[in-house]
């Protein structure tokens, strides 16, 4: 798992690649927390390179959703592969966060 992050004002865009599972979910949580604690009230996660997410990864994602909401912002996902989108739908995450086709659409949702 790797996250490359760029910033545009109070919005951070994290490009995720690889797998998020029990072996690295703590690192995933730490990276997301660092981004949010660093002042990004809005977070866009580009999931195009995400190949797998476990329940431990979903927990880290839930924590990030809560933190951004508490900061007065939000978290949006984009370019989510079909297999990951199915997991998000079954687990109810699509009710907790917005899912967009492109990074630009996700960023615009915070305007």
């Amino acid at each position: 798992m790797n996250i490359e992050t760029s910033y545009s004002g109070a919005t951070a865009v994290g490009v995720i690649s690889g797998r998020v599972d029990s072996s690295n979910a703590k690192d995933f949580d730490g990276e997301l927390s660092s981004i949010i604690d660093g002042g990004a009230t809005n977070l866009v996660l580009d999931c195009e390179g995400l190949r797998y997410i476990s329940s431990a990864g979903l927990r880290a994602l839930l924590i990030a959703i809560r933190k951004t909401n508490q900061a007065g912002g939000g978290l949006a996902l984009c370019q989510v592969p079909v297999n990951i989108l199915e997991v998000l739908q079954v687990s109810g995450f699509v009710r907790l966060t917005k899912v967009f086709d492109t990074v630009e659409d996700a960023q615009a949702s915070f305007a």
Side-chain angles (χ1 to χ4, degrees), residues 53-109:
I53 189 164
S54 70
S55 60
L58 291 175
R59 181 181 181 280
L61 189 59
L62 179 60
I63 291 168
I65 290 168
R66 287 183 179 161
K67 283 185 173 187
T68 55
N69 289 343
Q70 289 171 351
L75 185 144
L77 304 173
C78 65
Q79 301 193 109
V80 180
V82 173
N83 63 318
I84 305 294
L85 185 57
E86 289 173 356
V87 170
L88 295 173
Q89 290 169 332
V90 168
S91 61
F93 272 79
V94 293
R95 292 189 308 266
L96 302 175
T97 188
K98 301 171 191 166
V99 179
F100 297 91
D101 291 333
T102 67
V103 171
E104 294 77 19
D105 289 344
Q107 286 175 307
S109 73

